[in-house]
Amino acid sequence: MNTNATTGNVTPSTQNPKQPQQKQTAAEAIAANVKALIQQLEEGHSEALTAYLTAMGRFHNYSFGNILEIARQRPDATRVAGMWSWNQLGRRVKKGEKGIRILAPLIGVRRKKDEVAEKDITRQNAPVLVGFRNVYIFDVSQTEGAELPQLSGQVTGDVGECRERLIDFVIAQDIELDWKDSIAPALGVSYGGKIVLLPPQGTI
């Protein structure tokens, strides 16, 4: 089934005739990736699940299906973007690198009839999902060029009375608060109504 086929009065707003269109729906892509993940787990390859869970933690702005795609094609990916985005950051994709295929929505316009448009000009054209198309992204390891901006480090200073007020607030919400060295290198974790923080250096 071609998900890019138009129906009725729907007209794709942008189409590149040189871009191969995706004939697999998003649901089919997800199902195929889940099936492949299950098969690998049944064969004893637990690293496949580890790669997927790692990808979920890294790529919050991507859909469930695209996270599966990234984890399957490049399990070690850390920062991904399209070629144009990398160029804007002063980096270039290395020659010969293979892109990570993901699905991007193809948005069209459903045009209202003239009499409807005349009543409310702001609603005369409504965006609608037509289908999906292949796009390619690249991991930072596949690029070269300018150094990416980094966080300057941990915030330091004396929080004063704000620390005790914050602790009191957390306890008032029936949330357990604890400090453990074992969570390093994480600075803090939250799970099941409990917050665990990494103790400041030199304290218990």
Side-chain angles (χ1 to χ4, degrees):
M1 181 177 72
N2 188 341
T3 57
N4 291 314
T6 59
T7 57
N9 297 327
V10 178
T11 304
S13 57
T14 57
Q15 274 194 351
N16 183 349
K18 296 182 180 180
Q19 173 71 46
Q21 297 301 310
Q22 175 59 266
K23 294 184 178 181
Q24 186 181 43
T25 66
E28 289 169 345
I30 292 174
N33 279 305
V34 170
K35 182 178 179 180
L37 176 61
I38 292 173
Q39 182 178 348
Q40 290 183 61
L41 290 175
E42 290 176 343
E43 293 173 355
H45 301 297
S46 59
E47 66 274 9
L49 179 59
T50 301
Y52 167 64
L53 294 175
T54 301
M56 283 193 68
R58 289 173 176 166
F59 309 119
H60 306 287
N61 295 329
Y62 286 85
S63 67
F64 174 73
N66 282 335
I67 289 175
L68 282 173
E69 289 283 1
I70 296 169
R72 179 179 62 82
Q73 297 173 66
R74 199 172 186 91
D76 59 344
T78 57
R79 297 181 69 174
V80 294
M83 185 177 294
W84 185 87
S85 295
W86 284 126
N87 290 345
Q88 296 302 302
L89 291 170
R91 298 184 68 84
R92 298 290 181 270
V93 175
K94 299 175 185 176
K95 185 177 180 180
E97 289 289 350
K98 182 180 179 181
I100 304 167
R101 184 190 68 87
I102 62 173
L103 298 181
L106 186 63
I107 305 299
V109 176
R110 186 179 299 280
R111 302 190 180 281
K112 301 291 186 180
K113 295 181 179 180
D114 291 343
E115 56 270 23
V116 176
E118 289 175 0
K119 292 180 180 179
D120 187 354
I121 192 172
T122 63
R123 299 181 59 186
Q124 61 179 259
N125 298 322
V128 61
L129 177 64
V130 177
F132 296 88
R133 62 186 178 90
N134 286 334
V135 297
Y136 292 87
I137 57 177
F138 299 85
D139 181 55
V140 63
S141 63
Q142 298 176 280
T143 68
E144 57 188 2
E147 290 294 325
L148 295 175
Q150 301 290 335
L151 293 176
S152 59
Q154 298 183 24
V155 176
T156 59
D158 184 8
V159 297
E161 64 176 13
C162 293
R163 178 179 184 275
E164 297 304 323
R165 289 175 59 188
L166 183 57
I167 292 175
D168 290 342
F169 175 79
V170 170
I171 295 174
Q173 308 306 309
D174 292 325
I175 298 174
E176 184 180 352
L177 185 62
D178 197 4
W179 284 264
K180 289 183 179 179
D181 289 313
S182 59
I183 66 171
L187 300 180
V189 295
S190 174
Y191 52 89
K194 182 176 181 178
I195 296 176
V196 179
L197 301 175
L198 184 68
Q201 190 173 9
T203 65
I204 298 177

